Amino acid sequence: RFRVLVGLLEVAGGLGLVLASEWPALLLPASSGLALLMLLGLITRVRLRDSLVQMLPALVLLLLTSFLVARALAGGASEARWGTNTIRPHFTEASPGRPMPRSGRVRSRELLLMKNPQQQAVVEALEVLLADSYTLYLKTHSYHWNVTGPMFNTLHTMFETHYQESALAVDDIAERIRALGFPAPGTYKQYAALSTIEEESGVPEALEMVKLLVKGHEACAKTARTVFPIAEGGQDEVTADLLTQRLQVHEKTAWMLRSLLQ
């Protein structure tokens, strides 16, 4: 009967260890209880004068459960040392030798920059180009709506073609930033802080609109040129190809608008 009781208690202790895989708090009491039962079982077999072979399973289980008890005690001491609310440092492949928290304390953008710092300069320059392109798009669209005078029909139609092309360009630049793994800026506040193109108050005269759009396209071309050496240094052929396309459009458009002023 005593053997049966000990056997049932051993099964209960084993079940406790299984549950401890889901609830670590159960590991110490389950392993301690099971170790005690293994000790009692071993003592019982010694008193019953069992052979060494019969006692061997109980001895092995006693050693295993004792190891689990020691492991649970070591884990508890570690928790006490670090504190339950403290995030333990760990190391990642992205930053060898540099501790990083497991939680979301480091923002996704900062993590991306740690993974590939070379892309930081490319993305930041593309963000300026995106802001310039979007500002130029808004300016051209506004002029399309508000242009007046003898050249109305010509400028109204030309501005429409230009802002439609700019809208596609904005999408291409933003998607390139996303393809590099970074979030693309998309608010007026961000564009105002990034753009090199100034906004005007009021509605300019028709020819003044043309002059301002020339400056806008020249600004976009200048920004695109600043990205070129950065993209080439990072062997980013896709970005370099995009910049080539943008330069061709902005230089040609600036030339066409400039011709209206001569």
Side-chain angles (χ1 to χ4, degrees):
R1 291 180 181 178
F2 188 72
R3 282 184 176 180
V4 173
L5 178 61
V6 170
L8 291 175
L9 291 175
E10 288 173 353
V11 170
L15 181 61
L17 291 179
V18 172
L19 295 176
S21 63
E22 293 294 332
W23 293 282
L26 295 177
L27 180 60
L28 181 58
S31 57
S32 300
L34 195 55
L36 180 60
L37 289 173
M38 292 300 104
L39 180 60
L40 291 176
L42 185 63
I43 293 174
T44 300
R45 292 185 180 280
V46 171
R47 290 181 62 185
L48 293 174
R49 297 182 180 180
D50 285 346
S51 66
L52 181 60
V53 174
Q54 291 174 314
M55 290 188 292
L56 186 59
L59 180 60
V60 171
L61 288 174
L62 176 60
L63 293 175
L64 289 175
T65 51
S66 299
F67 169 76
L68 291 175
V69 171
R71 183 177 178 182
L73 289 172
S78 177
E79 290 294 337
R81 184 174 72 254
W82 286 99
T84 56
N85 296 323
T86 303
I87 298 175
R88 302 181 189 183
H90 81 129
F91 300 90
T92 67
E93 296 179 359
S95 53
R98 181 175 181 176
M100 294 174 59
R102 291 183 184 273
S103 72
R105 289 186 179 181
V106 178
R107 295 175 296 178
S108 58
R109 178 182 174 84
E110 294 171 349
L111 288 173
L112 287 166
L113 295 181
M114 292 175 188
K115 290 180 180 178
N116 194 345
Q118 180 65 37
Q119 290 182 345
Q120 179 180 6
V122 175
V123 170
E124 289 180 348
L126 284 176
E127 287 176 346
V128 176
L129 181 59
L130 176 61
D132 282 350
S133 300
Y134 195 85
T135 304
L136 181 60
Y137 158 76
L138 288 177
K139 188 189 293 283
T140 308
H141 208 156
S142 172
Y143 292 172
H144 165 75
W145 291 329
N146 296 303
V147 65
T148 58
M151 300 180 64
F152 168 79
N153 189 57
T154 300
L155 295 180
H156 181 76
T157 303
M158 178 183 287
F159 293 164
E160 181 177 14
T161 303
H162 291 175
Y163 81 69
Q164 288 177 346
E165 195 284 328
S166 294
L168 296 175
V170 165
D171 200 48
D172 289 340
I173 299 168
E175 288 182 354
R176 182 58 194 154
I177 294 173
R178 294 295 298 121
L180 291 172
F182 292 80
T187 66
Y188 291 117
K189 182 178 180 180
Q190 288 174 303
Y191 291 149
L194 291 167
S195 180
T196 64
I197 300 176
E198 296 182 0
E199 293 184 334
E200 300 80 28
S201 58
V203 179
E205 296 293 332
L207 290 181
E208 184 63 21
M209 289 180 178
V210 175
K211 293 179 182 178
L212 293 172
L213 290 178
V214 169
K215 291 182 179 179
H217 283 281
E218 290 175 343
C220 286
K222 181 179 179 181
T223 300
R225 287 192 190 90
T226 63
V227 193
F228 253 117
I230 305 172
E232 290 175 350
Q235 297 181 339
D236 189 346
E237 294 83 0
V238 178
T239 298
D241 182 62
L242 174 62
L243 296 172
T244 300
Q245 297 175 34
R246 298 314 309 149
L247 271 174
Q248 290 175 344
V249 171
H250 290 303
E251 289 181 346
K252 182 177 180 179
T253 305
W255 159 64
M256 295 174 66
L257 290 169
R258 203 179 295 114
S259 298
L260 295 173
L261 302 174
Q262 295 174 352

